Amino acid sequence: MDVLAIGDKVHDEARQGEAFSPFANDPNRYSKHFYIESYGCAMNFADSEVIASILNNAGFGATRNVEEANLILLNTCSIREKAEQTVRKRLTEFRKLKERTPGLLIGMLGCMAERLKAQLLEEEKLVDIVVGPDAYRSLPGLIEEAETGQKAVNVLLSREETYSDIAPVRIDSNGISAFVSIMRGCNNMCSFCVVPFTRGRERSRDAYSILHEVTDLVEKGYKEVTLLGQNVDSYYWIDEQKDETVTFAVLLEKVALVSPELRVRFSTSHPKDITDEVLHTMARHENICKYIHLPVQSGSTRILQLMNRTYTREWYMAKVDRIRELLPECGISADIIAGFCTETEEDHQDTLSIMRYSGYDMSYMFFYSERPGTLAARRYTDDIPEDVKKRRLQEIVDLQGQLSRASNEKDLGKTFKVLVEGNSRKSDADWMGRTSQNKVLVFPKKSMDEQLKGTYVMVKVTDCTKTTLRGERSK
Ligand code: SAH
Ligand code: SF4
Ligand code: F3S
């Protein structure tokens, strides 16, 4: 496998590197059209659904055909240098289109817009509009401004904005799973990370609006929601009507109670914040999926300190023990960074050993990419040579392959309740679904006109690779 490609993985594997375009149901309703591509984490994809809603209300329909667009939007990511390069390359591809299409506007949204602000307009002459993650409500006004030939920028960050009253337009979705943002921003200051600078201070969304959105999704036939935040365990909202404090555990329970038929997932948990209360809540509700994404970043306490992660190796291992104790069936995955500043071979071995200890089912693995303005960029030297970073990353990737295979082999002979998402990617004679642990399980259709999408099926695992389980329907 190509290490660079792995190093550039985004948060949600299913959507990795994929650009998606929300598409209005009836494009003929609108006289103007926008085309949007999203990069980066699930939160950016969720934001694009909010943007689609704002633009629909301003008279723009979505199109999947870039040639038809009056407005091209790139919802961008700054997490690693490679993510920014991908967007810049994409922009140059739009150059010719812009030259031959009078009036075509190009807008940069998201984290890169926030990081580079008006500087982007100087660097990228093609760009007409620059809008940061907290300023999407101003998009219609900025588009009007840009239509008069001015460059339009709004990168103000907010302490309050959660877009709670905007119903996201779920267009390119499979109709079964949806993302629901529960908070924005991040108050942690992991030294390697650009997110606190691009997304601003942490704020939690009104719990009622979250429950309203989830209820609406259930009514529309959705079967799974993923509650999204950079650090979901620090969700905190005060219900002034009832004088009740809504923590993440409380919210999770409220969402689980919306419908027993609805699967509930969440991402991401910071190891320092996930509480026993959350684990007990997960144990109490069958429909809260037994899967926790618990980014470790490094297995070395010294490196974790430099990263400002606020936990030690031992503390993290104790958290894994606690999850295994309270939720024996729970899947665990991680994010891992290879080659952070000053990382020695010994530190790297600590990362490999914590991976073995935790027995991750899956990981997102990256090599360190220095981001301007972060604490690490200001305080430490990015001193690990690229070849060493890549070699260490490859060792991490190889080990994860073994761990994933071992984890899947443990499932042979077991029966899982699977939510069917659609055809298997490899063959439309097979169904593809996920287990509660978020593993992909493929099983044969009984006939080509069988309708199982969006239903739960019990499947017994008979075979596996390191990425996929295969099985047969159990009677
Ligand atoms: N809020 C989440 C992570 C969001 S970013 C959390 O705290 O877990 C997703 C992942 O990208 C991080 O977990 C980290 O592994 C990786 N990442 C972030 N900044 C990076 C950088 N500068 N270089 C390489 N990987 C980075
Ligand atoms: Fe970045 Fe750390 Fe916040 Fe995650 S918790 S978004 S890694 S600063
Ligand atoms: Fe990227 Fe911004 Fe998400 S930097 S990972 S799109 S929060």
Side-chain angles (χ1 to χ4, degrees):
M1 232 192 262
D2 179 358
V3 175
L4 269 175
I6 293 158
D8 197 38
K9 255 187 170 169
V10 295
H11 221 69
D12 182 14
E13 191 172 44
R15 291 183 151 179
Q16 188 212 331
E18 200 179 291
F20 99 125
S21 322
F23 190 77
N25 292 336
D26 177 8
N28 298 327
R29 255 175 54 203
Y30 302 97
S31 56
K32 290 181 181 173
H33 293 95
F34 71 97
Y35 169 91
I36 188 165
E37 284 183 6
S38 307
Y39 297 85
C41 65
M43 266 153 281
N44 250 16
F45 285 81
D47 280 359
S48 289
E49 298 183 336
V50 167
I51 292 161
S53 177
I54 292 171
L55 290 180
N56 280 176
N57 285 335
F60 281 83
T63 174
R64 279 198 191 85
N65 176 4
V66 68
E67 302 273 339
E68 196 182 88
N70 310 89
L71 172 66
I72 295 175
L73 298 172
L74 295 176
N75 195 359
T76 62
C77 172
S78 285
I79 200 82
R80 286 166 289 277
E81 199 183 345
K82 182 93 191 302
E84 292 199 354
Q85 282 166 358
T86 307
V87 167
R88 296 221 192 236
K89 198 162 149 263
R90 191 71 181 123
L91 209 52
T92 59
E93 289 167 15
F94 290 131
R95 184 177 303 272
K96 287 220 170 63
L97 189 62
K98 173 123 172 148
E99 277 162 9
R100 68 181 145 84
T101 320
L104 174 64
L105 296 176
I106 297 188
M108 290 276 261
L109 316 177
C111 291
M112 220 174 139
E114 191 62 50
R115 190 178 87 73
L116 294 164
K117 306 188 167 65
Q119 188 190 329
L120 249 183
L121 296 173
E122 278 161 41
E123 290 171 13
E124 299 287 352
K125 301 279 180 235
L126 286 185
V127 173
D128 306 288
I129 302 169
V130 175
V131 191
D134 285 346
Y136 296 141
R137 285 183 204 266
S138 66
L139 253 173
L142 295 170
I143 295 168
E144 267 179 38
E145 225 175 277
E147 280 170 342
T148 68
Q150 299 169 57
K151 300 275 179 185
V153 184
N154 187 350
V155 287
L156 285 177
L157 286 172
S158 154
R159 279 176 181 260
E160 287 94 35
E161 182 63 274
T162 57
Y163 301 111
S164 64
D165 56 317
I166 296 180
V169 176
R170 318 267 171 198
I171 349 178
D172 258 9
S173 99
N174 62 3
I176 295 164
S177 311
F179 291 132
V180 176
S181 284
I182 62 164
M183 58 205 294
R184 299 181 72 81
C186 183
N187 280 359
N188 295 318
M189 272 286 171
C190 302
S191 63
F192 52 80
C193 185
V194 76
V195 172
F197 303 93
T198 62
R199 296 237 157 204
R201 304 292 291 170
E202 180 184 288
R203 66 222 95 124
S204 296
R205 177 176 167 190
D206 175 331
Y208 288 107
S209 79
I210 297 170
L211 291 170
H212 183 269
E213 189 174 325
V214 172
T215 308
D216 186 53
L217 286 164
V218 170
E219 280 165 6
K220 292 192 168 113
Y222 281 79
K223 291 292 166 60
E224 183 175 78
V225 291
T226 303
L227 307 179
L228 290 182
Q230 291 296 356
N231 187 7
V232 287
D233 299 276
S234 62
Y235 179 88
Y236 185 88
W237 188 76
I238 295 178
D239 184 347
E240 280 163 5
Q241 286 172 37
K242 291 194 188 151
D243 199 21
E244 181 193 8
T245 300
V246 185
T247 60
F248 181 60
V250 172
L251 178 75
L252 194 57
E253 181 139 76
K254 287 181 191 290
V255 173
L257 289 171
V258 168
S259 162
E261 283 293 294
L262 181 76
R263 273 191 171 177
V264 185
R265 299 186 182 277
F266 54 88
S267 183
T268 299
S269 295
H270 193 298
K272 76 174 165 60
D273 292 319
I274 187 162
T275 58
D276 272 9
E277 209 191 340
V278 168
L279 301 179
H280 286 304
T281 307
M282 290 174 75
R284 268 200 308 278
H285 296 274
E286 189 270 339
N287 61 330
I288 304 180
C289 289
K290 304 301 176 277
Y291 169 65
I292 299 175
H293 185 58
L294 198 69
V296 65
Q297 315 298 2
S298 167
S300 152
T301 295
R302 188 182 71 83
I303 295 292
L304 287 168
Q305 256 163 9
L306 293 182
M307 288 178 161
N308 204 18
R309 288 290 287 183
T310 73
Y311 52 85
T312 61
R313 169 185 176 84
E314 289 70 30
W315 202 92
Y316 182 94
M317 286 157 80
K319 196 53 90 177
V320 169
D321 291 346
R322 191 70 176 146
I323 295 169
R324 301 264 182 243
E325 185 189 335
L326 296 179
L327 300 163
E329 299 303 316
C330 193
I332 304 181
S333 61
D335 291 347
I336 301 166
I337 298 177
F340 186 66
C341 312
T342 78
E343 187 186 73
T344 62
E345 281 308 315
E346 206 186 331
D347 295 320
H348 170 57
Q349 289 302 324
D350 283 348
T351 296
L352 296 175
S353 72
I354 210 166
M355 289 174 70
R356 280 190 212 98
Y357 184 88
S358 308
Y360 299 125
D361 301 294
M362 193 270 292
S363 290
Y364 297 114
M365 300 155 281
F366 317 97
F367 59 78
Y368 174 58
S369 163
E370 187 179 79
R371 307 311 293 129
T374 55
L375 290 178
R378 284 184 273 145
R379 282 189 200 155
Y380 315 124
T381 313
D382 180 12
D383 57 354
I384 308 302
E386 190 153 315
D387 58 332
V388 176
K389 284 184 183 171
K390 286 187 178 168
R391 195 251 307 146
R392 289 182 188 163
L393 176 61
Q394 189 60 58
E395 288 174 13
I396 289 170
V397 168
D398 290 345
L399 174 58
Q400 185 54 57
Q402 293 168 27
L403 295 175
S404 299
R405 182 178 294 277
S407 157
N408 282 353
E409 282 171 357
K410 268 202 270 175
D411 290 341
L412 290 172
K414 291 189 196 160
T415 299
F416 291 92
K417 183 175 168 186
V418 162
L419 173 60
V420 181
E421 291 179 13
N423 289 341
S424 137
R425 231 185 299 168
K426 289 205 179 125
S427 158
D428 54 11
D430 291 332
W431 289 115
M432 178 287 238
R434 275 174 208 269
T435 66
S436 173
Q437 292 73 12
N438 207 32
K439 288 188 183 177
V440 170
L441 208 168
V442 171
F443 62 99
K445 290 183 179 173
K446 282 192 176 140
S447 72
M448 288 311 278
D449 50 12
E450 188 180 41
Q451 305 290 329
L452 283 189
K453 193 173 160 184
T455 65
Y456 293 102
V457 181
M458 299 305 289
V459 183
K460 184 173 179 186
V461 178
T462 54
D463 198 3
C464 71
T465 65
K466 68 179 180 197
T467 51
T468 314
L469 301 174
R470 257 201 95 78
E472 300 286 341
R473 243 168 287 192
S474 68
K475 274 141 227 131

mmCIF file of all heavy atoms in Angstrom, residues 198-222:
data_model
loop_
_atom_site.group_PDB
_atom_site.id
_atom_site.type_symbol
_atom_site.label_atom_id
_atom_site.label_comp_id
_atom_site.label_asym_id
_atom_site.label_seq_id
_atom_site.Cartn_x
_atom_site.Cartn_y
_atom_site.Cartn_z
ATOM 1 N N THR A 198 -8.502 26.934 13.432
ATOM 2 C CA THR A 198 -9.409 27.042 12.285
ATOM 3 C C THR A 198 -10.877 26.964 12.690
ATOM 4 O O THR A 198 -11.742 27.429 11.962
ATOM 5 C CB THR A 198 -9.140 25.927 11.246
ATOM 6 O OG1 THR A 198 -9.375 24.659 11.859
ATOM 7 C CG2 THR A 198 -7.729 25.978 10.724
ATOM 8 N N ARG A 199 -11.132 26.368 13.842
ATOM 9 C CA ARG A 199 -12.531 26.162 14.236
ATOM 10 C C ARG A 199 -12.909 26.899 15.501
ATOM 11 O O ARG A 199 -14.075 26.849 15.932
ATOM 12 C CB ARG A 199 -12.800 24.670 14.416
ATOM 13 C CG ARG A 199 -12.631 23.908 13.116
ATOM 14 C CD ARG A 199 -13.899 23.173 12.806
ATOM 15 N NE ARG A 199 -14.013 22.892 11.404
ATOM 16 C CZ ARG A 199 -15.157 22.687 10.781
ATOM 17 N NH1 ARG A 199 -16.283 22.736 11.443
ATOM 18 N NH2 ARG A 199 -15.193 22.428 9.510
ATOM 19 N N GLY A 200 -11.938 27.510 16.148
ATOM 20 C CA GLY A 200 -12.252 28.375 17.284
ATOM 21 C C GLY A 200 -12.614 27.641 18.564
ATOM 22 O O GLY A 200 -12.369 26.442 18.717
ATOM 23 N N ARG A 201 -13.217 28.403 19.471
ATOM 24 C CA ARG A 201 -13.525 27.894 20.808
ATOM 25 C C ARG A 201 -14.633 26.855 20.748
ATOM 26 O O ARG A 201 -15.509 26.893 19.890
ATOM 27 C CB ARG A 201 -13.992 29.046 21.723
ATOM 28 C CG ARG A 201 -13.015 30.194 21.840
ATOM 29 C CD ARG A 201 -11.759 29.819 22.558
ATOM 30 N NE ARG A 201 -11.970 29.550 23.983
ATOM 31 C CZ ARG A 201 -11.026 29.015 24.769
ATOM 32 N NH1 ARG A 201 -9.859 28.664 24.291
ATOM 33 N NH2 ARG A 201 -11.289 28.814 26.046
ATOM 34 N N GLU A 202 -14.564 25.958 21.728
ATOM 35 C CA GLU A 202 -15.577 24.903 21.795
ATOM 36 C C GLU A 202 -16.928 25.461 22.251
ATOM 37 O O GLU A 202 -16.982 26.298 23.142
ATOM 38 C CB GLU A 202 -15.085 23.865 22.801
ATOM 39 C CG GLU A 202 -16.005 22.710 22.988
ATOM 40 C CD GLU A 202 -15.479 21.796 24.084
ATOM 41 O OE1 GLU A 202 -14.471 21.106 23.862
ATOM 42 O OE2 GLU A 202 -16.072 21.798 25.184
ATOM 43 N N ARG A 203 -17.990 25.013 21.624
ATOM 44 C CA ARG A 203 -19.353 25.356 22.075
ATOM 45 C C ARG A 203 -20.281 24.202 21.755
ATOM 46 O O ARG A 203 -20.108 23.528 20.731
ATOM 47 C CB ARG A 203 -19.831 26.665 21.436
ATOM 48 C CG ARG A 203 -20.008 26.581 19.942
ATOM 49 C CD ARG A 203 -19.474 27.845 19.279
ATOM 50 N NE ARG A 203 -18.115 27.674 18.825
ATOM 51 C CZ ARG A 203 -17.703 27.869 17.562
ATOM 52 N NH1 ARG A 203 -18.535 28.259 16.632
ATOM 53 N NH2 ARG A 203 -16.453 27.688 17.217
ATOM 54 N N SER A 204 -21.230 23.955 22.646
ATOM 55 C CA SER A 204 -22.146 22.826 22.477
ATOM 56 C C SER A 204 -23.477 23.308 21.935
ATOM 57 O O SER A 204 -23.942 24.398 22.282
ATOM 58 C CB SER A 204 -22.359 22.136 23.822
ATOM 59 O OG SER A 204 -21.132 21.591 24.272
ATOM 60 N N ARG A 205 -24.062 22.487 21.122
ATOM 61 C CA ARG A 205 -25.333 22.846 20.494
ATOM 62 C C ARG A 205 -26.501 22.527 21.427
ATOM 63 O O ARG A 205 -26.448 21.535 22.167
ATOM 64 C CB ARG A 205 -25.435 22.027 19.202
ATOM 65 C CG ARG A 205 -26.694 22.200 18.437
ATOM 66 C CD ARG A 205 -26.617 21.410 17.139
ATOM 67 N NE ARG A 205 -27.953 21.333 16.542
ATOM 68 C CZ ARG A 205 -28.265 20.564 15.525
ATOM 69 N NH1 ARG A 205 -27.346 19.788 14.965
ATOM 70 N NH2 ARG A 205 -29.489 20.543 15.057
ATOM 71 N N ASP A 206 -27.521 23.329 21.347
ATOM 72 C CA ASP A 206 -28.764 23.143 22.090
ATOM 73 C C ASP A 206 -29.266 21.686 21.963
ATOM 74 O O ASP A 206 -29.476 21.191 20.855
ATOM 75 C CB ASP A 206 -29.756 24.131 21.447
ATOM 76 C CG ASP A 206 -31.165 24.040 21.982
ATOM 77 O OD1 ASP A 206 -31.567 22.944 22.415
ATOM 78 O OD2 ASP A 206 -31.857 25.067 21.947
ATOM 79 N N ALA A 207 -29.420 21.017 23.100
ATOM 80 C CA ALA A 207 -29.802 19.601 23.079
ATOM 81 C C ALA A 207 -31.155 19.372 22.398
ATOM 82 O O ALA A 207 -31.367 18.365 21.725
ATOM 83 C CB ALA A 207 -29.821 19.041 24.498
ATOM 84 N N TYR A 208 -32.076 20.336 22.581
ATOM 85 C CA TYR A 208 -33.397 20.164 21.951
ATOM 86 C C TYR A 208 -33.283 20.134 20.434
ATOM 87 O O TYR A 208 -33.965 19.368 19.768
ATOM 88 C CB TYR A 208 -34.359 21.294 22.383
ATOM 89 C CG TYR A 208 -34.805 21.159 23.815
ATOM 90 C CD1 TYR A 208 -34.320 22.011 24.796
ATOM 91 C CD2 TYR A 208 -35.706 20.165 24.183
ATOM 92 C CE1 TYR A 208 -34.716 21.887 26.118
ATOM 93 C CE2 TYR A 208 -36.120 20.030 25.500
ATOM 94 C CZ TYR A 208 -35.615 20.886 26.466
ATOM 95 O OH TYR A 208 -36.017 20.746 27.765
ATOM 96 N N SER A 209 -32.412 21.004 19.895
ATOM 97 C CA SER A 209 -32.300 21.037 18.429
ATOM 98 C C SER A 209 -31.654 19.745 17.924
ATOM 99 O O SER A 209 -31.971 19.260 16.840
ATOM 100 C CB SER A 209 -31.547 22.278 17.961
ATOM 101 O OG SER A 209 -30.161 22.122 18.112
ATOM 102 N N ILE A 210 -30.768 19.167 18.732
ATOM 103 C CA ILE A 210 -30.152 17.890 18.343
ATOM 104 C C ILE A 210 -31.230 16.798 18.309
ATOM 105 O O ILE A 210 -31.353 16.044 17.338
ATOM 106 C CB ILE A 210 -29.022 17.498 19.325
ATOM 107 C CG1 ILE A 210 -27.895 18.539 19.273
ATOM 108 C CG2 ILE A 210 -28.499 16.087 19.035
ATOM 109 C CD1 ILE A 210 -26.847 18.399 20.366
ATOM 110 N N LEU A 211 -32.026 16.754 19.380
ATOM 111 C CA LEU A 211 -33.064 15.714 19.462
ATOM 112 C C LEU A 211 -34.111 15.900 18.364
ATOM 113 O O LEU A 211 -34.623 14.930 17.800
ATOM 114 C CB LEU A 211 -33.723 15.733 20.841
ATOM 115 C CG LEU A 211 -32.777 15.266 21.956
ATOM 116 C CD1 LEU A 211 -33.381 15.518 23.324
ATOM 117 C CD2 LEU A 211 -32.432 13.784 21.791
ATOM 118 N N HIS A 212 -34.389 17.138 18.061
ATOM 119 C CA HIS A 212 -35.346 17.442 16.999
ATOM 120 C C HIS A 212 -34.813 16.915 15.665
ATOM 121 O O HIS A 212 -35.536 16.262 14.890
ATOM 122 C CB HIS A 212 -35.571 18.960 16.962
ATOM 123 C CG HIS A 212 -36.589 19.363 15.956
ATOM 124 N ND1 HIS A 212 -36.243 19.687 14.667
ATOM 125 C CD2 HIS A 212 -37.928 19.453 16.033
ATOM 126 C CE1 HIS A 212 -37.337 19.980 13.994
ATOM 127 N NE2 HIS A 212 -38.377 19.836 14.793
ATOM 128 N N GLU A 213 -33.537 17.176 15.413
ATOM 129 C CA GLU A 213 -32.935 16.719 14.145
ATOM 130 C C GLU A 213 -32.929 15.188 14.070
ATOM 131 O O GLU A 213 -33.243 14.604 13.023
ATOM 132 C CB GLU A 213 -31.510 17.279 14.037
ATOM 133 C CG GLU A 213 -30.891 17.046 12.672
ATOM 134 C CD GLU A 213 -29.535 17.736 12.518
ATOM 135 O OE1 GLU A 213 -29.331 18.836 13.070
ATOM 136 O OE2 GLU A 213 -28.672 17.143 11.855
ATOM 137 N N VAL A 214 -32.605 14.541 15.195
ATOM 138 C CA VAL A 214 -32.562 13.080 15.202
ATOM 139 C C VAL A 214 -33.966 12.505 14.973
ATOM 140 O O VAL A 214 -34.153 11.573 14.181
ATOM 141 C CB VAL A 214 -31.949 12.553 16.527
ATOM 142 C CG1 VAL A 214 -32.081 11.040 16.636
ATOM 143 C CG2 VAL A 214 -30.479 12.960 16.636
ATOM 144 N N THR A 215 -34.951 13.079 15.647
ATOM 145 C CA THR A 215 -36.332 12.610 15.487
ATOM 146 C C THR A 215 -36.774 12.742 14.032
ATOM 147 O O THR A 215 -37.398 11.842 13.464
ATOM 148 C CB THR A 215 -37.279 13.420 16.404
ATOM 149 O OG1 THR A 215 -36.742 13.382 17.719
ATOM 150 C CG2 THR A 215 -38.688 12.870 16.413
ATOM 151 N N ASP A 216 -36.421 13.865 13.443
ATOM 152 C CA ASP A 216 -36.764 14.111 12.046
ATOM 153 C C ASP A 216 -36.113 13.054 11.137
ATOM 154 O O ASP A 216 -36.745 12.530 10.212
ATOM 155 C CB ASP A 216 -36.291 15.527 11.695
ATOM 156 C CG ASP A 216 -36.728 15.946 10.320
ATOM 157 O OD1 ASP A 216 -37.933 15.859 10.054
ATOM 158 O OD2 ASP A 216 -35.860 16.341 9.510
ATOM 159 N N LEU A 217 -34.864 12.724 11.426
ATOM 160 C CA LEU A 217 -34.164 11.705 10.613
ATOM 161 C C LEU A 217 -34.871 10.354 10.738
ATOM 162 O O LEU A 217 -35.049 9.636 9.748
ATOM 163 C CB LEU A 217 -32.702 11.585 11.062
ATOM 164 C CG LEU A 217 -31.792 12.740 10.627
ATOM 165 C CD1 LEU A 217 -30.485 12.746 11.417
ATOM 166 C CD2 LEU A 217 -31.485 12.656 9.128
ATOM 167 N N VAL A 218 -35.273 10.009 11.975
ATOM 168 C CA VAL A 218 -35.966 8.733 12.191
ATOM 169 C C VAL A 218 -37.268 8.718 11.381
ATOM 170 O O VAL A 218 -37.586 7.741 10.706
ATOM 171 C CB VAL A 218 -36.239 8.499 13.696
ATOM 172 C CG1 VAL A 218 -37.169 7.314 13.912
ATOM 173 C CG2 VAL A 218 -34.929 8.273 14.432
ATOM 174 N N GLU A 219 -37.985 9.843 11.440
ATOM 175 C CA GLU A 219 -39.250 9.916 10.682
ATOM 176 C C GLU A 219 -39.024 9.761 9.187
ATOM 177 O O GLU A 219 -39.868 9.248 8.465
ATOM 178 C CB GLU A 219 -39.976 11.237 10.989
ATOM 179 C CG GLU A 219 -40.708 11.146 12.318
ATOM 180 C CD GLU A 219 -41.134 12.497 12.866
ATOM 181 O OE1 GLU A 219 -40.969 13.508 12.153
ATOM 182 O OE2 GLU A 219 -41.608 12.524 14.025
ATOM 183 N N LYS A 220 -37.845 10.202 8.731
ATOM 184 C CA LYS A 220 -37.543 10.079 7.301
ATOM 185 C C LYS A 220 -36.981 8.698 6.952
ATOM 186 O O LYS A 220 -36.600 8.451 5.804
ATOM 187 C CB LYS A 220 -36.554 11.158 6.886
ATOM 188 C CG LYS A 220 -37.149 12.553 6.946
ATOM 189 C CD LYS A 220 -36.257 13.569 6.248
ATOM 190 C CE LYS A 220 -36.985 14.889 6.061
ATOM 191 N NZ LYS A 220 -36.404 15.959 6.875
ATOM 192 N N GLY A 221 -36.865 7.817 7.931
ATOM 193 C CA GLY A 221 -36.427 6.447 7.654
ATOM 194 C C GLY A 221 -34.956 6.174 7.906
ATOM 195 O O GLY A 221 -34.469 5.079 7.630
ATOM 196 N N TYR A 222 -34.236 7.160 8.433
ATOM 197 C CA TYR A 222 -32.811 6.915 8.738
ATOM 198 C C TYR A 222 -32.688 5.904 9.879
ATOM 199 O O TYR A 222 -33.542 5.858 10.770
ATOM 200 C CB TYR A 222 -32.105 8.225 9.112
ATOM 201 C CG TYR A 222 -31.759 9.059 7.895
ATOM 202 C CD1 TYR A 222 -32.732 9.836 7.259
ATOM 203 C CD2 TYR A 222 -30.475 9.062 7.370
ATOM 204 C CE1 TYR A 222 -32.418 10.592 6.140
ATOM 205 C CE2 TYR A 222 -30.156 9.814 6.245
ATOM 206 C CZ TYR A 222 -31.126 10.569 5.639
ATOM 207 O OH TYR A 222 -30.827 11.304 4.526
#
